[in-house]
Amino acid sequence: MIINTIIYFIFTLITHSICKKFNFFLDIKDHDHKRFASNKKNYFVGGFLIALILIYNFVDQKDYLYGLFFISIFIIGLFADFKLFNNPKLRLLVQISLLLIFVYILDIRIPSTRIEIIDILFENDFINYSFTVFCLAILINGSNFVDGINTLLINYYIIVLGLILFFLKDLNIDQYFVTNFFSLLIIILLFNIFGQIILGDSGAYILSLFIGLILINVSNENNLISPYFIILLIWYPCFELLFSMTRRLVFNLYSYKPDTMHLHQMILKIISNNLKFKSNNVNHFFAASIINLYNLFILMISLNYNDKTNIMLALIAINITVYISTYLVLKKKLKLPQS
C-alpha cells in the first residue's frame, strides 16, 4: 500500500505539473457559483485520476461492463467540464438513460427497505431498477452540487470509505483495491486543499457512483446492517440536492440554473465575512471542515447502532432538522432574498 501511495503521489504531481504548464483540464469560471468558489486557476484533473484507477481495476478484474459504465458517466462529466455539454436538462436525460441501461444489464438492485409493502413492490424488476436509477441519479448530482467548496466532497467520501474500511468488519468488498483507492483520494485531497486540483463534474460523477455501488453491495451482502445506515452514510449530498430542488419549486425558480443559495455556500460566506482569512483556500477548508466534522460525529455514533433501523431514522431526522434550522438562521443572518 505504501509503495502504491508513493506512486500515486508522484503520478498526481507530474499530471498536475503538465496540466499547469499547458493549461490542460483548466476550470473555466463562467458562472457565478464557480467564481464564488474561487477566482484562481485550478484544474479538474481529479476526475481523470479517479477514472484511471477505476478503469484499470475493472479491466484487471475483467469487469468490462463496469468499466464501460464508469467511462460513459465520466465522459458526460468531462464534456460538462470542457463546456461541450452545457444543457443541464439534456445532460440529466443522457445520464439517466445510461444509468437505466447499465443498472438493468448489470442487475444492480436496491435491497430490502424493511418496509413490507415497499419490499413487495421492489420484487417487481421495473420498479426496483427505476428506484435504483433514481437513487444513483440523486447521489451523483447531489455530490456534484456540494463540490462547490474545495475539500468538501472528497473529504466527505474519505470519511465514508474510512468508516467502511476500518470500522465495518467482514464485508464482501475488495479490501486491497478500496484501500488503494482510499490512498488516492487522500493524495487528491492534499492538492485540493491548496486549490490546485479539483474533481470537476467528471470526478464528482464517478466518485459518487463508485461509492453508491459499494454501498448497494454492502447492503445486499449484509442483511444485519440497516438500509437506513446506508442512507445515513450518503444523506448529506442527497439532501442538499433534494432541498435545493424543493426550494426552487416553492419559489418558482429555474430548477437547473446554478446559484449560490446552498447551505455550504452560506457557511463559506459567514467564514469569509467574519474570520477574514487572506487565503480563500483556508476559508474553503474551514467551511468544509465544519460540515464534515458534524457528519463524522453523527456517522461515528451510527456505527454502534448500524443494525437498529429506528436509531438510524432518528439520526436522519436529526440531520434534516439541523440542516434546515441552520439554513434558515444563516439565510436571515446574511439577509438573503426569499428564494
Side-chain angles (χ1 to χ4, degrees):
M1 176 181 170
I2 295 175
I3 295 176
N4 285 343
T5 302
I6 294 172
I7 292 172
Y8 295 154
F9 178 79
I10 293 172
F11 185 76
T12 302
L13 187 63
I14 292 172
T15 303
H16 173 256
S17 299
I18 292 172
C19 290
K20 195 171 182 180
K21 182 173 182 179
F22 297 102
N23 277 336
F24 292 157
F25 296 100
L26 178 64
D27 188 35
I28 300 172
K29 314 295 183 181
D30 60 339
H31 290 294
D32 289 341
H33 73 289
K34 284 184 172 289
R35 288 187 290 271
F36 174 86
S38 173
N39 284 317
K40 295 184 178 180
K41 280 187 176 183
N42 39 42
Y43 304 87
F44 49 85
V45 72
F48 172 72
L49 297 169
I50 291 171
L52 278 182
I53 189 173
L54 286 175
I55 293 166
Y56 174 81
N57 177 70
F58 291 133
V59 171
D60 184 59
Q61 298 296 321
K62 295 182 171 56
D63 288 329
Y64 301 119
L65 278 176
Y66 273 100
L68 185 60
F69 187 12
F70 276 82
I71 289 172
S72 302
I73 298 299
F74 173 71
I75 288 174
I76 294 174
L78 196 62
F79 276 28
D81 286 329
F82 281 118
K83 314 305 173 191
L84 300 175
F85 203 171
N86 291 326
N87 187 322
K89 292 183 180 180
L90 182 58
R91 189 163 66 239
L92 180 62
L93 179 62
V94 173
Q95 186 186 98
I96 289 176
S97 299
L98 286 171
L99 287 173
L100 278 168
I101 292 169
F102 283 102
V103 162
Y104 174 74
I105 293 174
L106 296 167
D107 193 28
I108 301 169
R109 298 167 181 263
I110 296 293
S112 170
T113 64
R114 297 193 180 181
I115 300 174
E116 186 176 355
I117 188 170
I118 295 179
D119 287 344
I120 291 172
L121 289 173
F122 277 6
E123 291 176 3
N124 180 283
D125 289 344
F126 176 78
I127 294 176
N128 199 311
Y129 289 142
S130 298
F131 186 73
T132 301
V133 168
F134 172 78
C135 292
L136 288 175
I138 291 295
L139 177 62
I140 289 170
N141 290 285
S143 297
N144 194 37
F145 237 59
V146 303
D147 194 36
I149 294 183
N150 291 344
T151 77
L152 178 54
L153 180 67
I154 191 166
N155 212 4
Y156 183 85
Y157 283 137
I158 284 173
I159 290 170
V160 172
L161 271 185
L163 295 178
I164 293 172
L165 280 171
F166 305 120
F167 291 94
L168 297 179
K169 305 299 181 183
D170 302 320
L171 296 182
N172 184 26
I173 60 173
D174 186 344
Q175 293 276 348
Y176 177 77
F177 172 70
V178 175
T179 301
N180 281 318
F181 186 80
F182 181 80
S183 300
L184 176 64
L185 292 186
I186 291 177
I187 291 168
I188 295 174
L189 173 66
L190 295 176
F191 284 84
N192 193 223
I193 288 174
F194 297 101
Q196 297 299 308
I197 287 179
I198 61 174
L199 292 174
D201 290 8
S202 53
Y205 284 1
I206 59 170
L207 174 57
S208 55
L209 177 61
F210 178 67
I211 297 294
L213 294 182
I214 281 184
L215 293 179
I216 289 174
N217 180 65
V218 167
S219 188
N220 276 320
E221 298 290 336
N222 298 271
N223 293 328
L224 293 178
I225 294 178
S226 169
Y228 300 96
F229 172 69
I230 303 300
I231 292 174
L232 187 64
L233 287 175
I234 53 175
W235 86 275
Y236 172 61
C238 294
F239 189 74
E240 274 268 30
L241 177 62
L242 292 172
F243 182 79
S244 180
M245 290 171 62
T246 303
R247 171 176 61 84
R248 292 175 177 187
L249 285 172
V250 169
F251 292 100
N252 197 27
L253 300 172
Y254 291 105
S255 296
Y256 297 95
K257 187 177 180 181
D259 60 26
T260 57
M261 294 285 291
H262 312 302
L263 178 62
H264 60 278
Q265 293 166 325
M266 291 183 180
I267 293 174
L268 180 57
K269 285 180 183 177
I270 290 291
I271 289 174
S272 300
N273 294 341
N274 291 278
L275 298 183
K276 301 184 184 300
F277 292 113
K278 291 183 179 180
S279 171
N280 200 37
N281 292 326
V282 177
N283 292 327
H284 279 239
F285 182 73
F286 263 78
S289 296
I290 289 170
I291 296 170
N292 282 327
L293 284 173
Y294 169 80
N295 281 300
L296 176 61
F297 173 72
I298 293 294
L299 294 178
M300 288 299 293
I301 293 174
S302 72
L303 283 173
N304 295 320
Y305 308 98
N306 61 56
D307 60 334
K308 304 289 192 300
T309 290
N310 289 342
I311 295 178
M312 294 303 101
L313 289 172
L315 289 174
I316 292 171
I318 289 171
N319 284 343
I320 292 173
T321 302
V322 169
Y323 182 101
I324 295 175
S325 300
T326 306
Y327 182 90
L328 294 174
V329 169
L330 294 186
K331 183 179 178 182
K332 184 176 180 180
K333 185 176 180 63
L334 291 168
K335 299 178 180 179
L336 298 176
Q338 294 296 317
S339 61

Coordinates of all heavy atoms in Angstrom, one line a residue, residues 4-36:
N4 N 2.3 1.9 -3.4 CA 1.3 2.4 -4.3 C 1.0 3.8 -4.0 O 0.8 4.6 -4.9 CB 0.0 1.5 -4.2 CG 0.2 0.2 -4.9 OD1 1.1 0.0 -5.7 ND2 -0.7 -0.8 -4.5
T5 N 0.9 4.2 -2.7 CA 0.6 5.6 -2.4 C 1.7 6.5 -2.9 O 1.4 7.6 -3.4 CB 0.5 5.7 -0.8 OG1 -0.5 4.8 -0.3 CG2 0.2 7.1 -0.4
I6 N 3.0 6.1 -2.8 CA 4.1 6.9 -3.3 C 3.9 7.1 -4.8 O 4.1 8.2 -5.4 CB 5.4 6.3 -2.9 CG1 5.6 6.3 -1.4 CG2 6.6 7.1 -3.6 CD1 6.8 5.6 -0.9
I7 N 3.6 6.0 -5.5 CA 3.4 6.0 -7.0 C 2.3 7.0 -7.3 O 2.4 7.8 -8.2 CB 3.2 4.6 -7.5 CG1 4.4 3.8 -7.4 CG2 2.8 4.7 -9.0 CD1 4.2 2.3 -7.7
Y8 N 1.2 6.9 -6.6 CA 0.0 7.7 -6.8 C 0.4 9.2 -6.7 O 0.0 10.1 -7.5 CB -1.1 7.4 -5.9 CG -1.7 6.0 -6.1 CD1 -2.4 5.4 -5.1 CD2 -1.7 5.4 -7.3 CE1 -2.9 4.1 -5.2 CE2 -2.2 4.1 -7.5 CZ -2.8 3.5 -6.4 OH -3.4 2.2 -6.6
F9 N 1.2 9.5 -5.6 CA 1.6 10.9 -5.3 C 2.4 11.4 -6.4 O 2.2 12.6 -6.9 CB 2.3 11.0 -4.0 CG 2.8 12.3 -3.7 CD1 1.9 13.3 -3.2 CD2 4.1 12.7 -3.9 CE1 2.3 14.6 -2.9 CE2 4.5 14.0 -3.6 CZ 3.6 14.9 -3.1
I10 N 3.4 10.6 -6.9 CA 4.3 11.1 -7.9 C 3.6 11.3 -9.2 O 3.8 12.3 -9.9 CB 5.5 10.1 -8.1 CG1 6.4 10.1 -6.9 CG2 6.3 10.4 -9.3 CD1 7.4 9.0 -6.9
F11 N 2.7 10.4 -9.5 CA 1.9 10.5 -10.8 C 1.0 11.7 -10.7 O 0.9 12.4 -11.7 CB 1.1 9.2 -11.0 CG 0.4 9.2 -12.3 CD1 1.0 9.0 -13.5 CD2 -1.0 9.5 -12.3 CE1 0.3 9.0 -14.7 CE2 -1.7 9.5 -13.5 CZ -1.0 9.2 -14.7
T12 N 0.4 11.9 -9.6 CA -0.5 13.1 -9.4 C 0.3 14.4 -9.6 O -0.2 15.4 -10.2 CB -1.2 13.1 -8.0 OG1 -1.9 11.9 -7.9 CG2 -2.2 14.3 -7.9
L13 N 1.5 14.4 -9.0 CA 2.3 15.6 -9.0 C 2.7 15.9 -10.5 O 2.7 17.1 -11.0 CB 3.6 15.4 -8.2 CG 4.5 16.6 -8.0 CD1 3.8 17.8 -7.3 CD2 5.7 16.2 -7.2
I14 N 3.1 14.9 -11.2 CA 3.5 15.0 -12.6 C 2.4 15.5 -13.5 O 2.5 16.4 -14.3 CB 4.1 13.7 -13.2 CG1 5.5 13.4 -12.5 CG2 4.3 13.8 -14.7 CD1 6.0 12.0 -12.8
T15 N 1.2 14.8 -13.2 CA 0.0 15.2 -14.0 C -0.4 16.6 -13.8 O -0.7 17.4 -14.7 CB -1.2 14.2 -13.6 OG1 -0.8 12.9 -13.8 CG2 -2.4 14.6 -14.5
H16 N -0.4 17.1 -12.5 CA -0.7 18.5 -12.2 C 0.3 19.4 -12.9 O -0.1 20.5 -13.4 CB -0.7 18.7 -10.7 CG -0.9 20.1 -10.3 ND1 0.2 20.9 -9.8 CD2 -2.0 20.9 -10.3 CE1 -0.3 22.1 -9.6 NE2 -1.6 22.1 -9.8
S17 N 1.6 19.1 -12.8 CA 2.6 20.0 -13.4 C 2.4 20.1 -14.9 O 2.5 21.2 -15.5 CB 4.0 19.4 -13.1 OG 4.2 19.3 -11.8
I18 N 2.0 19.0 -15.6 CA 1.8 19.0 -17.0 C 0.5 19.9 -17.3 O 0.5 20.7 -18.2 CB 1.6 17.6 -17.6 CG1 2.9 16.9 -17.5 CG2 1.1 17.7 -19.0 CD1 2.8 15.4 -17.9
C19 N -0.5 19.7 -16.5 CA -1.8 20.5 -16.7 C -1.5 22.0 -16.5 O -2.0 22.8 -17.2 CB -2.8 20.0 -15.7 SG -3.5 18.4 -16.1
K20 N -0.7 22.3 -15.5 CA -0.4 23.7 -15.2 C 0.5 24.3 -16.3 O 0.2 25.5 -16.7 CB 0.4 23.8 -13.9 CG 0.5 25.1 -13.3 CD 1.0 25.1 -11.8 CE 1.0 26.5 -11.2 NZ 1.6 26.4 -9.8
K21 N 1.4 23.6 -16.9 CA 2.2 24.1 -17.9 C 1.5 24.4 -19.2 O 1.7 25.4 -19.9 CB 3.4 23.2 -18.2 CG 4.4 23.7 -19.2 CD 5.6 22.8 -19.3 CE 6.6 23.4 -20.3 NZ 7.9 22.6 -20.4
F22 N 0.6 23.4 -19.6 CA -0.1 23.5 -20.9 C -1.6 23.9 -20.7 O -2.3 23.9 -21.7 CB 0.0 22.2 -21.6 CG 1.4 21.8 -21.9 CD1 2.1 20.8 -21.1 CD2 2.1 22.4 -23.0 CE1 3.4 20.5 -21.4 CE2 3.4 22.0 -23.3 CZ 4.1 21.1 -22.5
N23 N -2.0 24.2 -19.5 CA -3.4 24.6 -19.3 C -4.4 23.5 -19.7 O -5.5 23.8 -20.1 CB -3.8 25.9 -20.0 CG -3.4 27.1 -19.2 OD1 -3.2 27.0 -18.0 ND2 -3.2 28.2 -19.8
F24 N -4.0 22.2 -19.5 CA -4.9 21.1 -19.7 C -5.9 21.1 -18.5 O -5.5 21.4 -17.4 CB -4.1 19.8 -19.8 CG -3.3 19.6 -21.0 CD1 -2.2 18.8 -21.0 CD2 -3.6 20.4 -22.2 CE1 -1.4 18.6 -22.1 CE2 -2.8 20.2 -23.3 CZ -1.7 19.3 -23.3
F25 N -7.1 20.7 -18.8 CA -8.1 20.5 -17.7 C -8.3 21.8 -16.9 O -8.6 21.7 -15.7 CB -7.8 19.3 -16.8 CG -7.7 18.0 -17.5 CD1 -6.5 17.4 -17.9 CD2 -8.9 17.3 -17.7 CE1 -6.5 16.2 -18.5 CE2 -8.9 16.0 -18.3 CZ -7.7 15.5 -18.7
L26 N -8.1 22.9 -17.5 CA -8.3 24.2 -16.8 C -9.8 24.5 -16.6 O -10.6 24.5 -17.5 CB -7.6 25.3 -17.6 CG -7.8 26.7 -17.0 CD1 -7.0 26.8 -15.6 CD2 -7.2 27.8 -17.9
D27 N -10.1 24.8 -15.3 CA -11.5 25.1 -15.0 C -11.8 26.5 -15.4 O -11.1 27.4 -15.0 CB -11.7 24.9 -13.5 CG -13.2 25.0 -13.1 OD1 -14.0 24.6 -13.9 OD2 -13.5 25.6 -12.0
I28 N -12.9 26.7 -16.2 CA -13.3 28.0 -16.7 C -14.4 28.5 -15.8 O -15.4 27.9 -15.6 CB -13.8 27.9 -18.2 CG1 -12.7 27.3 -19.1 CG2 -14.3 29.3 -18.6 CD1 -13.2 27.0 -20.5
K29 N -14.1 29.7 -15.2 CA -15.1 30.4 -14.3 C -16.1 31.2 -15.0 O -16.1 32.4 -15.1 CB -14.3 31.3 -13.3 CG -13.0 30.7 -12.7 CD -13.3 29.5 -11.8 CE -12.0 29.0 -11.2 NZ -12.2 27.9 -10.3
D30 N -17.1 30.4 -15.6 CA -18.1 31.1 -16.5 C -19.4 31.3 -15.8 O -20.4 31.8 -16.4 CB -18.3 30.3 -17.8 CG -18.7 28.9 -17.5 OD1 -18.5 28.4 -16.4 OD2 -19.3 28.2 -18.4
H31 N -19.6 30.8 -14.5 CA -20.8 31.0 -13.8 C -20.5 31.7 -12.4 O -19.4 31.5 -11.9 CB -21.5 29.7 -13.6 CG -22.1 29.1 -14.9 ND1 -23.1 29.8 -15.6 CD2 -21.8 28.0 -15.6 CE1 -23.4 29.0 -16.7 NE2 -22.6 28.0 -16.7
D32 N -21.5 32.3 -11.9 CA -21.4 33.0 -10.6 C -21.0 32.0 -9.5 O -20.1 32.3 -8.7 CB -22.7 33.7 -10.2 CG -22.9 34.9 -11.0 OD1 -22.0 35.4 -11.7 OD2 -24.1 35.4 -11.0
H33 N -21.6 30.8 -9.5 CA -21.3 29.8 -8.5 C -19.8 29.4 -8.6 O -19.2 29.0 -7.6 CB -22.2 28.7 -8.5 CG -22.0 27.7 -9.6 ND1 -22.3 28.0 -10.9 CD2 -21.6 26.4 -9.7 CE1 -22.1 27.0 -11.7 NE2 -21.6 26.0 -11.0
K34 N -19.2 29.4 -9.8 CA -17.8 29.0 -9.9 C -16.9 30.1 -9.4 O -15.9 29.9 -8.7 CB -17.5 28.6 -11.4 CG -18.0 27.2 -11.8 CD -17.6 26.9 -13.2 CE -17.9 25.5 -13.5 NZ -17.1 24.5 -12.8
R35 N -17.2 31.4 -9.8 CA -16.4 32.5 -9.3 C -16.6 32.7 -7.8 O -15.7 33.2 -7.2 CB -16.9 33.8 -10.1 CG -16.4 33.8 -11.6 CD -16.7 35.1 -12.2 NE -18.1 35.3 -12.4 CZ -18.8 34.9 -13.5 NH1 -18.2 34.3 -14.5 NH2 -20.1 35.2 -13.6
F36 N -17.8 32.3 -7.3 CA -18.0 32.4 -5.9 C -17.0 31.4 -5.1 O -16.5 31.7 -4.1 CB -19.4 32.0 -5.5 CG -19.7 31.9 -4.1 CD1 -20.1 33.0 -3.4 CD2 -19.6 30.7 -3.4 CE1 -20.4 32.9 -2.0 CE2 -19.9 30.6 -2.1 CZ -20.3 31.7 -1.4

